[in-house]
Amino acid sequence: MSNNFLQHFRHQQQEAAYEKAMDTQCPFCSVQCTMQLLEQREGGRKKYKVLPLKETVSEARLCIKGRNAHQHALHRERILHPMKRVGRHFEQISWDDALHFIKEQFTSIQKQNGNDAVGVYGGGSLTNEEAYLLGKFARVALKTKHIDYNGRYCMSAAASAMSEAFGLDRGITNLVQEIPYSRCIILAGTNIAECQPTLLPYFQKAKENGAFIIALDPRETLTTKLADMHLKVKPGMDAALVNGMLKVILDQNLYDLSFIEERTNGFEELKEHIESLDLNEIAASTGIQREQMERAAVHFATGSTGMVFTARGVEQQTHGHATVRNFLNLILVTGNIGKLGSGYGAVTGQGNGQGGREHGQKADQLPGYRSIEHPEHRKYISKVWGITEEELPGKGVSAYEMIEKMDAEEIKALFIMGSNPLVSTPNANLAESALKKLKFLVVVDMFLSETAKHADLVLPSSSYLEDEGTMTNMEGRVTLRKAARSCPGEVRHDWQILCDVAAQLGKKTYFPFQSAEEIFNELRVASKGGKADYYGITYKRLEKERVFWPCPAPGHPGEGRLFTESFAHEDGKAKFLTVANHKPKEQPNRQFPLYLTTGRVMSHYLTGAQTRRSPALAAREIESFIRIHPSTAKAFHVQNHSLVKVESARGSIQARGLYDESIREDTVFVPFHWGDEQNINKVTYHALDPVCKMPGFKVCAVRIAPVVDLSRN
């Protein structure tokens, strides 16, 4: 009897014991696991059980977050009605009054200060339909150039690097099912075991098949424990480490010359640059011994297949774009792309981080991954939207730069949908100052988040259980998430709210949609001919299968593995880039002698606005913490499990100190899922990458000190 039959039989038995079975999709990370929520009433209470579904990338696996996601969607703190600020409190108002309030404020502010005085700030967990509509709403209903989203803080370094090197940005160039066929895998700044745990078995299978796994991380994690080799690199020195590996490969003639000559440009410039570098100097600056660099380089270059995965650890840096470009150099030099078990993957953190940036939430992008500055792209989208090219605004600024413009009082009103920038923005004290200076702030959310508490108006949004729409996972695989239950109270879907506000502003003609599917059908047309082409994908098709983009026609199968024969540049070739041995812009000094790096824990997601409202998840990690090497703790008089003050030039927080012998002695680690007094982004560095405008979250200079317990004095 097959395992699939047994699993189906058990599911049928379990479903029979429950009154309602709801098929849905996890709202958290970019794996997008599918699941079934079973509901039963016992007495006066409802009881729930979650089962994984097999038709998913994770092969019927769920992590702790997915199994408990329904708890936040059903939480008593859900906002169920529009709420208007009255003094220090919020009062319930009608939808009609809320929409009129928005019209009154936006119209007045734009009349006095121009269209660009109103900004729009989106999120990477919105469906494709809502991400698309938010971009259209900003540019057509509000006529503002100022729109960006929190995905700027997630994927911008990898996205810009892939676009420049390959001509196309899609999270993973291969299917995840190809991971076990890779002979050498580099995991750089990614903690898959805790952030995307349902993918971990693919890497375990690769190791069983003989793969050599190399992890780059300044601290030990569950992921580094899987690796055969852990390079505990000094924070911010990843690009230099890759230069060292490239030098070994070139010096030992381990590069794939035929691939380089046939399919790339710029190799001679790279070679000349690498030859000028000194391995001993790189070893000293990165904290990685020369012998370790040589061993890692030889393993990657001599394996028959190889893959590199990066995440925020190497991307959220002031030179994150160049760092990813250097990892792509490593892939191209060895010819490890476009074939089974060989390629690159940017491990997306947010549920729809991929789809969210393809359809118009970014300041410089239009649907289909078109450029807002390209004349033909502007002409095409203007025609789809039924406006003139002159009416379509130009390029705006990045998410953090929008915060700066708010603080400078250039942006005077803000519409936030599905994001919590007060917790997710670096230098969060500036973000708080900026929010307070706004004349009008609208927040669309499920909860009264740290950001929503500053709003003049909060609009109630639907959860993943209630909102139908498509999502695009880290592979570029488009999925359809059906609504499993109706909206509670007066909650509306994000797309409905956008249509309602647009109608109030006199733009109903451009926003006539009555369903998510109608929006998707317009998105298909808007993306047609673009690099992220969804035209061949339909809801009917997605009900039967998950389809990769690009998919230019209804009969097209979609492209699972990219770049098998050519890259997406006009000449079909990939581009090398010479990368300097960058050092982080902020270095430890006498006043702030330690590196701070940040990251995630398994039980929480992003700013914790949802997972901290899931009792099962909140109980696993009830507060933030700082991981510190015992020797470092002793030097700063910090006791294990005591409260510690972490301070930078920008601000400070308090967190529980936890000894960790595996972390570098010059580095401390704090997760970023908590707000208020434990918001580590009050401390983090705000300087931006010059290319992609990614802030330098992952590296800043701090000092630590024990918190004095005044109650004992």
Side-chain angles (χ1 to χ4, degrees):
M1 190 177 294
S2 72
N3 288 335
N4 284 344
F5 178 82
L6 286 173
Q7 184 185 55
H8 179 68
F9 179 70
R10 292 191 190 104
H11 274 207
Q12 284 186 319
Q13 285 186 313
Q14 290 171 317
E15 285 180 36
Y18 284 80
E19 298 171 1
K20 188 175 182 181
M22 298 171 274
D23 288 356
T24 186
Q25 191 168 306
C26 181
F28 297 131
C29 87
S30 58
V31 180
Q32 290 298 291
C33 303
T34 56
M35 55 193 177
Q36 189 174 69
L37 179 64
L38 304 177
E39 178 183 285
Q40 182 183 43
R41 184 174 292 277
E42 286 189 354
R45 302 183 65 181
K46 290 183 179 179
K47 173 183 172 183
Y48 295 92
K49 185 178 181 66
V50 178
L51 301 173
L53 294 177
K54 63 180 180 179
E55 56 274 11
T56 179
V57 173
S58 59
E59 299 179 333
R61 293 183 289 268
L62 287 176
C63 77
I64 187 71
K65 288 194 292 292
R67 288 189 180 277
N68 293 285
H70 64 282
Q71 292 182 352
H72 82 259
L74 304 173
H75 198 276
R76 64 182 181 277
E77 291 181 8
R78 279 285 298 272
I79 300 170
L80 302 179
H81 313 276
M83 306 291 288
K84 181 180 180 181
R85 175 176 296 284
V86 179
R88 294 186 177 183
H89 306 286
F90 287 95
E91 292 184 1
Q92 178 181 332
I93 62 172
S94 68
W95 271 104
D96 286 344
D97 287 345
L99 295 171
H100 180 74
F101 188 32
I102 293 174
K103 177 185 178 181
E104 180 183 71
Q105 293 295 316
F106 282 175
T107 302
S108 174
I109 289 169
Q110 288 187 315
K111 185 176 181 180
Q112 293 179 35
N113 304 282
N115 291 340
D116 295 336
V118 176
V120 175
Y121 196 106
S125 295
L126 302 181
T127 64
N128 287 320
E129 293 80 358
E130 288 157 349
Y132 167 79
L133 207 62
L134 189 64
K136 182 179 179 181
F137 171 78
R139 290 155 179 142
V140 176
L142 293 176
K143 296 185 177 181
T144 180
K145 69 179 181 180
H146 287 313
I147 175 172
D148 211 64
Y149 81 129
N150 63 16
R152 177 73 65 173
Y153 300 153
C154 177
M155 292 298 300
S156 60
S160 59
M162 287 186 75
S163 293
E164 287 193 3
F166 302 151
L168 182 71
D169 155 41
R170 198 183 77 183
I172 299 181
T173 63
N174 305 59
L175 285 72
V176 296
Q177 286 90 344
E178 294 186 21
I179 293 171
Y181 298 96
S182 185
R183 304 304 296 172
C184 186
I185 299 172
I186 294 176
L187 301 174
T190 177
N191 186 8
I192 288 172
E194 294 189 72
C195 301
Q196 291 83 21
T198 57
L199 289 186
L200 191 62
Y202 287 111
F203 295 92
Q204 292 170 326
K205 182 64 175 177
K207 192 166 182 177
E208 291 172 8
N209 291 344
F212 189 84
I213 298 179
I214 304 165
L216 280 66
D217 202 307
R219 65 190 189 102
E220 188 173 295
T221 67
L222 292 178
T223 302
T224 65
K225 290 178 181 178
L226 173 71
D228 298 280
M229 188 176 190
H230 178 194
L231 301 178
K232 203 174 289 187
V233 61
K234 186 179 292 186
M237 296 306 298
D238 308 272
L241 175 56
V242 178
N243 273 337
M245 295 176 66
L246 287 169
K247 184 166 181 62
V248 172
I249 291 169
L250 296 183
D251 287 351
Q252 297 188 23
N253 294 315
L254 299 177
Y255 50 95
D256 188 336
L257 185 59
S258 61
F259 179 90
I260 291 168
E261 291 179 341
E262 292 172 13
R263 300 196 56 188
T264 70
N265 289 316
F267 177 67
E268 289 305 318
E269 292 86 346
L270 176 71
K271 186 177 181 182
E272 183 179 350
H273 167 65
I274 295 298
E275 287 174 348
S276 71
L277 302 179
D278 183 273
L279 267 182
N280 292 324
E281 290 179 3
I282 293 175
S285 66
T286 61
I288 302 301
Q289 295 178 0
R290 175 173 177 157
E291 293 75 17
Q292 287 183 298
M293 274 190 288
E294 290 172 340
R295 184 180 173 215
V298 170
H299 268 290
F300 190 75
T302 58
S304 57
T305 56
M307 298 185 80
V308 174
F309 292 87
T310 69
R312 308 307 81 75
V314 299
E315 296 165 20
Q316 285 183 330
Q317 298 181 17
T318 50
H319 292 99
H321 168 87
T323 299
V324 178
R325 283 298 304 265
N326 225 18
F327 280 106
L328 302 186
N329 285 339
L330 187 64
I331 287 170
L332 294 172
V333 159
T334 55
N336 275 313
I337 195 165
K339 57 185 181 181
L340 179 69
S342 291
Y344 168 70
V347 187
T348 314
Q350 299 193 76
N352 201 29
Q354 179 70 52
R357 69 179 181 272
E358 294 166 358
H359 301 300
Q361 282 196 92
K362 284 179 68 177
D364 57 348
Q365 262 175 230
L366 292 172
Y369 228 119
R370 288 179 164 88
S371 168
I372 201 165
E373 297 182 299
H374 192 292
E376 289 301 315
H377 294 181
R378 292 176 60 83
K379 181 178 180 180
Y380 180 80
I381 295 300
S382 295
K383 185 177 180 180
V384 172
W385 286 350
I387 62 175
T388 66
E389 293 176 56
E390 293 73 23
E391 290 178 282
L392 184 62
K395 177 182 176 180
V397 298
S398 70
Y400 187 77
E401 290 171 313
M402 282 180 64
I403 300 292
E404 291 179 320
K405 285 187 175 294
M406 288 157 52
D407 192 59
E409 300 185 53
E410 294 177 37
I411 294 178
K412 296 179 180 294
L414 190 66
F415 185 92
I416 300 177
M417 178 167 274
S419 191
N420 188 13
L422 190 57
V423 180
S424 61
T425 299
N427 193 14
N429 288 325
L430 178 75
E432 184 172 2
S433 168
L435 289 175
K436 289 178 178 178
K437 290 180 181 179
L438 290 171
K439 288 186 176 181
F440 187 56
L441 174 61
V442 182
V443 174
V444 183
D445 209 327
M446 290 185 288
F447 300 104
L448 202 63
S449 67
E450 288 83 358
T451 301
K453 289 176 182 177
H454 289 268
D456 298 288
L457 182 67
V458 182
L459 302 178
S461 176
S462 56
S463 76
Y464 78 103
L465 289 176
E466 302 134 15
D467 190 21
E468 180 175 89
T470 61
M471 310 284 278
T472 305
N473 83 342
M474 65 175 68
E475 304 168 290
R477 193 189 300 246
V478 184
T479 67
L480 174 60
R481 185 183 70 199
K482 290 284 191 176
R485 66 195 292 264
S486 58
C487 291
E490 294 185 284
V491 168
R492 295 183 183 180
H493 303 308
D494 290 327
W495 66 264
Q496 289 177 316
I497 294 171
L498 293 172
C499 290
D500 291 342
V501 176
Q504 190 74 22
L505 294 172
K507 301 291 183 178
K508 184 176 182 178
T509 304
Y510 304 95
F511 297 84
F513 309 105
Q514 298 298 311
S515 69
E517 185 174 7
E518 288 184 13
I519 302 168
F520 187 76
N521 285 333
E522 184 175 292
L523 179 157
R524 291 174 56 222
V525 176
S527 72
K528 186 177 182 180
K531 289 186 176 180
D533 194 333
Y534 280 45
Y535 185 69
I537 307 173
T538 64
Y539 268 38
K540 185 176 181 180
R541 188 174 178 183
L542 291 175
E543 287 173 354
K544 300 176 182 178
E545 59 180 321
R546 294 176 159 205
V547 186
F548 291 95
W549 71 260
C551 183
H556 194 282
E559 293 187 30
R561 186 190 307 139
L562 299 175
F563 314 132
T564 55
E565 296 179 1
S566 66
F567 292 93
H569 290 300
E570 288 187 10
D571 63 0
K573 294 186 176 184
K575 297 179 180 179
F576 286 105
L577 175 74
T578 60
V579 175
N581 289 333
H582 292 299
K583 292 184 178 180
K585 290 183 179 178
E586 184 169 83
Q587 292 285 316
N589 52 51
R590 291 183 65 182
Q591 186 178 9
F592 301 105
L594 298 172
Y595 289 106
L596 166 72
T597 191
T598 65
R600 304 167 186 259
V601 297
M602 186 183 292
S603 55
H604 286 298
Y605 176 69
L606 299 184
T607 67
Q610 295 171 25
T611 51
R612 283 187 277 121
R613 287 177 172 87
S614 170
L617 298 175
R620 292 170 65 92
E621 299 283 357
I622 62 173
E623 64 177 353
S624 188
F625 56 83
I626 171 174
R627 291 202 173 274
I628 178 173
H629 193 281
S631 297
T632 308
K634 184 178 180 180
F636 288 90
H637 312 291
V638 169
Q639 298 294 317
N640 198 17
H641 298 289
S642 65
L643 282 178
V644 181
K645 182 180 181 181
V646 187
E647 185 175 14
S648 72
R650 291 157 294 281
S652 65
I653 68 154
Q654 294 182 11
R656 187 75 55 189
L658 301 178
Y659 286 3
D660 184 352
E661 292 186 352
S662 67
I663 198 168
R664 289 178 57 94
E665 292 186 26
D666 60 359
T667 304
V668 295
F669 168 83
V670 180
F672 53 66
H673 308 295
W674 283 267
D676 300 324
E677 287 75 22
Q678 293 200 321
N679 179 4
I680 191 58
N681 279 326
K682 291 182 178 181
V683 177
T684 51
Y685 193 40
H686 57 282
L688 304 179
D689 181 289
V691 177
C692 64
K693 307 301 182 182
M694 170 74 83
F697 288 98
K698 284 295 182 283
V699 188
C700 73
V702 299
R703 62 186 175 212
I704 61 173
V707 175
V708 178
D709 187 351
L710 298 177
S711 65
R712 295 185 179 182
N713 296 332

